[in-house]
C-alpha cells in the first residue's frame, strides 16, 4: 500500500503541532502548499515507534514456523539477553511508601488491569463487562479532580462484552487493546479511533476465557480458557489454533481447564497454568510442549506464570499460597515466597518494574504482599484495601501500581515524593 506525499506531509504537520511547533508547522504547510489543519496528532510518532519495534522484532514474527528451534535450543534462548534477575544482589530491596493518587469506580467488581508497554496508559476491566482506558499523565495532575471532561484520567470507556472481563492486554504497538471475558469471546479495540467504544474484531470460543498474552511481534495472542488446550489467535486473520502435544499419546496436554497463559519477552516460549497443578512450557514457534513442571505447587492448582524480563526465570503462583521462582533452563525452583494467602483462581504474582520485588494480592489482609526477589524475604504489605484485591498490575517504566478490588474500585498507587 503506497502513501502519498500529501499524506506524509499531513502527518508531519500534525506531529509538529502536537510537539508545540505550530509556527513551524504553518511554515512547512506554506512552503509545501499542503493544506493546514487545526488538528494536532501524535500519529506519526506512533507509526514510527511501531515501525522501529517491528523491525527489531521481525525475527520473532514467524511464531509458528515449522522450522523453529528444537526444545534444547529454546532452553538456551530463554537465558539470553535482557536485564534479568540479580539473585546474587546483596543490597536489600526496598518497598516504597505507596500513596493512592487516583481512584475510579466500575459498577461491579474490578477484575483486570494492564499497563501499556510505554507506561502511558492503563486498561482496567470489570465484572460489569466494561473496560476503562486511563491516561497516566493525567492521574497525578491536580486537574484530575476537576469537572472538566477533557481533564479526566479516564479517557474512554469501552463496551462490547456481555459478561465479566477476565483479562486485558495492550498490543505491543500500543494502538490496540485486547480483552477476554467469560462471555466466551476475545475482542480487539482500536485505540487510535477518536471515539470508538466497540471492538473491531471479535473471536468466539466454546469456553470462557481467563487470560490473554500478546506475542512480542503482536501477530499472535495466546489465550487460556476452561478447556485444557492453549489457544493461539492470529490477530490479522482472526483464526484460532490449538497448541499441540509433543507426543502422539497427547499426554503433554493439560488434564484440566487452564487458568493463565503468558508469552516470554523473546516470544520463544509460552507458559500455561492449569487446575491440574502443572505448569507447561510451549515452543513459541512450533507450538509443541517442550517441558512440563509436574505438581509445580505440590499438586495444588496453578493460577499464573510470568517470565522475567530476560526470559530466564519463571514466576508461578499456586493455590498452596506460595509463589515460586523457577530457573527455566534447569527446570528447578530457585526461590519460594511464602506468607501470603492465595485462595482464588485470579491470584497472580508479578515482578516490580525493576524486578527487585515480587508482589501478589494477599487475600487474608486485603493488601499486596511484597518480597525481596533475591532473598525471598517478606518485606512488608502495602496498598491496603477494605476488600479483597483481585489484581495488581505494575508499570513497566516506574514504581507505580494499579490495583483492582471487589469493592468495584481501581486505584493508582505511586511513591509519595514528600
Amino acid at each position: 500500500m503506497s502513501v502519498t506525499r500529501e499524506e506524509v506531509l499531513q502527518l508531519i504537520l500534525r506531529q509538529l503541532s502536537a510537539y508545540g511547533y505550530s509556527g513551524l508547522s504553518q511554515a512547512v504547510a506554506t512552503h509545501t502548499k499542503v493544506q493546514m489543519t487545526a488538528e494536532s496528532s501524535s500519529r506519526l510518532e506512533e507509526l514510527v515507534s511501531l515501525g522501529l519495534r517491528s523491525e527489531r522484532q521481525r525475527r520473532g514474527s514467524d511464531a509458528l514456523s515449522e522450522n523453529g528451534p528444537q526444545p534444547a535450543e529454546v532452553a538456551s534462548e530463554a537465558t539470553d539477553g535482557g536485564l534479568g534477575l540479580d539473585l546474587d544482589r546483596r543490597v536489600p530491596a526496598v518497598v516504597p511508601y505507596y500513596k493512592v493518587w487516583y481512584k475510579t469506580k466500575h459498577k461491579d467488581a474490578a477484575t483486570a488491569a494492564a499497563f501499556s508497554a510505554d507506561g502511558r496508559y492503563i486498561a482496567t476491566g470489570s465484572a460489569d463487562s466494561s473496560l476503562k482506558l486511563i491516561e497516566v499523565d493525567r492521574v497525578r495532575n491536580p486537574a484530575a479532580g476537576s469537572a472538566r471532561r477533557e481533564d479526566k484520567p479516564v479517557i474512554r470507556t469501552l463496551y462490547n462484552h456481555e459478561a465479566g472481563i477476565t483479562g486485558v492486554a495492550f498490543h505491543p504497538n500500543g494502538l490496540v487493546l485486547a480483552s477476554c471475558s467469560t462471555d466466551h469471546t476475545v475482542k480487539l479495540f482500536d485505540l487510535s479511533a477518536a471515539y470508538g467504544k466497540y471492538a473491531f474484531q471479535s473471536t468466539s470460543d466454546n469456553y470462557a476465557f481467563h487470560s490473554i498474552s500478546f506475542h512480542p511481534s503482536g501477530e499472535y495472542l495466546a489465550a487460556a480458557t476452561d478447556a485444557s488446550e492453549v489457544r493461539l489467535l492470529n490477530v490479522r486473520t482472526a483464526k484460532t489454533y490449538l497448541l499441540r502435544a509433543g507426543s502422539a499419546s497427547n499426554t503433554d496436554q493439560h488434564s484440566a481447564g487452564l487458568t493463565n497463559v503468558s508469552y516470554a519477552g523473546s516470544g520463544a516460549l509460552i507458559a500455561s497454568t492449569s487446575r491440574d497443578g502443572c505448569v507447561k512450557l510451549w515452543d513459541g514457534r512450533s507450538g509443541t510442549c517442550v517441558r512440563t513442571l509436574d505438581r509445580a505447587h505440590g499438586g495444588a492448582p496453578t493460577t499464573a506464570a510470568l517470565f522475567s524480563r530476560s526470559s530466564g526465570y519463571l514466576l508461578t503462583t499456586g493455590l498452596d499460597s506460595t509463589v515460586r521462582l523457577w530457573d527455566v533452563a534447569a527446570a528447578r525452583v530457585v526461590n519460594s515466597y511464602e506468607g501470603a494467602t492465595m485462595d482464588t483462581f485470579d491470584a497472580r504474582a508479578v515482578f516490580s518494574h525493576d524486578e527487585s520485588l515480587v508482589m501478589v494480592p494477599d487475600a487474608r489482609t486485603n493488601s499486596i504482599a511484597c518480597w525481596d526477589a533475591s532473598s525471598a524475604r517478606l518485606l512488608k504489605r502495602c496498598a491496603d484495601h477494605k476488600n479483597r484485591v483481585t489484581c495488581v498490575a505494575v508499570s513497566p517504566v516506574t514504581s507505580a501500581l494499579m490495583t483492582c478490588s471487589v469493592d468495584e474500585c481501581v486505584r493508582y498507587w505511586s511513591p509519595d515524593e514528600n
Side-chain angles (χ1 to χ4, degrees):
M1 176 180 173
S2 61
V3 181
T4 66
R5 169 182 175 275
E6 184 168 336
E7 286 175 322
V8 173
L9 289 172
Q10 285 282 5
L11 287 170
I12 293 173
L13 297 179
R14 290 170 181 166
Q15 187 66 61
L16 287 171
S17 296
Y19 284 153
Y21 301 120
S22 299
L24 179 58
S25 179
Q26 182 63 62
V28 173
T30 301
H31 183 76
T32 58
K33 297 182 174 56
V34 173
Q35 183 178 357
M36 182 70 183
T37 66
E39 177 186 1
S40 64
S41 168
S42 295
R43 177 65 171 164
L44 179 60
E45 179 182 1
E46 294 169 347
L47 291 173
V48 171
S49 176
L50 172 61
L52 291 173
R53 185 179 289 114
S54 177
E55 186 176 60
R56 288 193 297 266
Q57 298 175 340
R58 188 168 297 156
R59 288 185 61 191
S61 65
D62 54 344
L64 290 180
S65 170
E66 291 298 326
N67 298 318
Q70 297 302 309
E73 293 178 273
V74 173
S76 63
E77 185 173 350
T79 60
D80 290 341
L83 297 177
L85 286 172
D86 184 5
L87 296 182
D88 296 322
R89 175 173 44 83
R90 298 190 178 184
V91 179
V94 176
V95 181
Y97 172 73
Y98 285 104
K99 172 183 176 181
V100 178
W101 289 87
Y102 177 70
K103 179 176 75 173
T104 188
K105 199 169 186 179
H106 285 274
K107 295 179 181 179
D108 203 339
T111 54
F115 281 81
S116 59
D118 57 9
R120 294 173 57 193
Y121 298 97
I122 306 168
T124 65
S126 168
D128 68 7
S129 77
S130 72
L131 298 153
K132 290 180 183 288
L133 184 65
I134 298 169
E135 186 173 346
V136 173
D137 284 347
R138 301 186 186 189
V139 165
R140 295 182 62 162
N141 188 329
S146 71
R148 294 192 303 163
R149 181 179 177 184
E150 59 269 26
D151 290 331
K152 294 290 186 181
V154 177
I155 58 177
R156 194 175 307 174
T157 301
L158 305 171
Y159 306 94
N160 221 187
H161 284 287
E162 297 178 357
I165 307 298
T166 53
V168 289
F170 283 91
H171 190 283
N173 67 17
L175 304 179
V176 172
L177 177 69
S179 60
C180 64
S181 167
T182 54
D183 67 3
H184 298 203
T185 66
V186 170
K187 296 184 183 292
L188 301 181
F189 297 84
D190 183 359
L191 302 183
S192 65
Y195 301 105
K197 292 185 177 181
Y198 302 100
F200 69 86
Q201 181 176 300
S202 180
T203 301
S204 299
D205 199 275
N206 293 327
Y207 299 90
F209 285 93
H210 297 297
S211 172
I212 48 177
S213 178
F214 272 108
H215 184 278
S217 70
E219 293 191 26
Y220 293 92
L221 188 69
T225 71
D226 279 333
S228 59
E229 303 89 5
V230 176
R231 267 70 172 153
L232 207 61
L233 284 61
N234 186 307
V235 174
R236 293 184 179 180
T237 66
K239 291 184 178 180
T240 302
Y241 308 89
L242 301 182
L243 297 194
R244 60 184 183 271
S247 61
S249 63
N250 209 40
T251 55
D252 284 339
Q253 292 288 7
H254 284 285
S255 60
L258 304 182
T259 55
N260 185 252
V261 66
S262 179
Y263 261 110
S266 63
L269 293 172
I270 303 170
S272 61
T273 59
S274 168
R275 293 170 183 260
D276 66 8
C278 297
V279 176
K280 290 183 180 290
L281 300 180
W282 305 81
D283 188 318
R285 294 183 176 88
S286 68
T288 57
C289 181
V290 295
R291 178 160 290 157
T292 296
L293 305 177
D294 194 26
R295 296 177 58 84
H297 284 258
T302 51
T303 58
L306 178 68
F307 287 95
S308 65
R309 197 169 289 134
S310 70
S311 303
Y313 295 95
L314 185 71
L315 191 70
T316 63
T317 312
L319 292 191
D320 61 345
S321 289
T322 302
V323 178
R324 291 181 174 172
L325 185 68
W326 300 76
D327 182 312
V328 173
R332 64 180 179 85
V333 177
V334 294
N335 266 340
S336 290
Y337 309 92
E338 301 177 355
T341 300
M342 290 151 271
D343 55 10
T344 57
F345 283 99
D346 56 10
R348 295 171 184 175
V350 297
F351 293 109
S352 60
H353 78 289
D354 58 1
E355 298 189 332
S356 66
L357 301 172
V358 169
M359 317 173 88
V360 74
D362 183 355
R364 182 177 61 83
T365 61
N366 299 329
S367 64
I368 305 299
C370 304
W371 293 270
D372 185 314
S374 176
S375 69
R377 185 166 68 92
L378 180 60
L379 300 177
K380 65 182 294 186
R381 290 175 174 82
C382 65
D384 293 336
H385 292 66
K386 293 182 179 179
N387 293 282
R388 185 174 69 86
V389 181
T390 59
C391 173
V392 58
V394 175
S395 168
V397 296
T398 188
S399 183
L401 313 173
M402 197 71 176
T403 58
C404 301
S405 172
V406 295
D407 65 5
E408 305 178 359
C409 292
V410 293
R411 296 170 173 86
Y412 178 86
W413 305 77
S414 185
D416 191 347
E417 297 174 351
N418 297 322

